[in-house]
Amino acid sequence: MHVLVTGAAGLIGSGVAARLREDHDVTGLDLVAGEQVQVIGDCFDVADWRHRAGKIDAVVHVAALHAPHVGQRSEADFRQANVKATSRLLDFAVGAGACSFVLTSTTSLYGHALMPSGGAVWIDEQLQPQPRDIYDETKLLAEELVASASNALNVTSLRMSRCFPEPADVMAWYRLHRGIDRRDVAEAHALALSRKGPAATYVISAATPFHRDDCGDLSLDAPSAIERRCPGLIARTAQQGWMPPNSIDRVYDASLAARELGFAPRFGIEACLAADWDPLPSA
Ligand SMILES: NC(=O)c1ccc[n+]([C@@H]2O[C@H](COP(=O)([O-])OP(=O)(O)OC[C@H]3O[C@@H](n4cnc5c(N)ncnc54)[C@H](O)[C@@H]3O)[C@@H](O)[C@H]2O)c1
């Protein structure tokens, strides 16, 4: 397939574009240049770049304004970049006769629902999003637009968890409950691209060892819950100087993606202990 990947100069888009090149022809689009970018342009201004992109069979829409831009960019900018550009891209994909559209979405859109009340929050696709800022609001609107195109395209939204470069111990512990390696994000996009069927939305995060009935313990005494589910892990991480969190406020559950997409994340806390880190993006 010939796949258009938007946001291909960014952290996630560059990883997604590089992974998809293993199986597909990929054209990377971004406002700025990057190793994975072939077309420089704004997703919103389709007429400016559509002829340079060529015949497209699928779109993977990663580009967005996101959490770090809240407070720095106007609400109008968020609506333009995240909602109106998604609408334009959907029209473009349908008009081009594409078969699939994958949206990179975010667990951030659960918003206020992420606030614990009497235990850690278990987050899966059944939990109702409660956007708390313009980023959450516009990503949810983008998901709704994508779902509404399901009569013309195979559409999938991937609500990915946290994937920023952070201190090693922070990233490692997050992999138990609220973080993901960029290589697993890229693999989820590759799986979503070949999915067929009604519109679907998936939480995408590293595999968690926890169960829903751990939520009370996770909030009150996370080390006990960690030791119960991952015996010996705290001792092994101590050798790296990594101290476990005292309390865990949320758990992202990607089991629906595992069942329906075949998503099998490989880079959890054990990969971190083995120093198997994602190389920094080249963009
Ligand atoms: N990084 C994370 O932890 C994380 C977590 C959840 C969801 N996400 C989602 O992943 C996606 C990418 O995030 P990222 O971390 O790679 O951000 P990023 O800022 O590194 O990359 C975004 C890229 O999109 C480009 N872009 C923005 N607006 C554009 C437009 N109108 N036209 C063309 N290109 C445009 C930017 O130039 C940039 O290169 C976003 O949709 C975000 O919601 C990221």
Side-chain angles (χ1 to χ4, degrees), residues 42-210:
D42 187 324
C43 316
F44 181 77
D45 298 321
V46 174
D48 287 354
W49 51 259
R50 62 178 306 149
H51 297 297
R52 281 179 285 152
K55 172 81 178 82
I56 294 295
D57 302 307
V59 174
V60 177
H61 183 29
V62 186
L65 292 180
H66 67 131
H69 300 112
V70 174
Q72 301 191 343
R73 300 289 295 269
S74 70
E75 296 206 348
D77 285 350
F78 268 89
R79 289 186 201 288
Q80 169 94 1
N82 294 0
V83 186
K84 294 178 184 169
T86 302
S87 176
R88 287 272 178 100
L89 277 171
L90 284 164
D91 289 346
F92 164 70
V94 172
C99 57
S100 294
F101 193 104
V102 178
L103 174 72
T104 311
S105 188
T106 175
T107 50
S108 177
L109 55 68
Y110 287 104
H112 294 294
L114 297 170
M115 293 296 113
S117 58
V121 185
W122 192 264
I123 295 134
D124 62 14
E125 298 79 2
Q126 301 302 312
L127 187 71
Q128 195 62 30
Q130 295 177 35
R132 68 185 148 187
D133 62 26
I134 189 67
Y135 172 51
D136 304 345
E137 189 187 313
T138 53
K139 291 300 276 195
L140 187 58
L141 287 168
E143 281 191 4
E144 289 166 6
L145 283 172
V146 168
S148 72
S150 66
N151 56 339
L153 295 156
N154 293 297
V155 293
T156 312
S157 291
L158 299 176
R159 291 178 179 165
M160 58 168 284
S161 64
R162 194 173 175 100
C163 185
F164 294 112
E166 295 182 271
D169 58 333
V170 174
M171 284 200 286
W173 290 116
Y174 278 179
R175 297 280 170 87
L176 291 182
H177 67 109
R178 61 170 293 188
I180 186 167
D181 186 282
R182 192 172 64 125
R183 293 165 290 180
D184 285 330
V185 173
E187 197 57 37
H189 284 74
L191 291 164
L193 197 54
S194 53
R195 194 190 73 83
K196 292 186 172 52
T201 299
Y202 298 105
V203 169
I204 298 294
S205 197
T208 183
F210 302 124

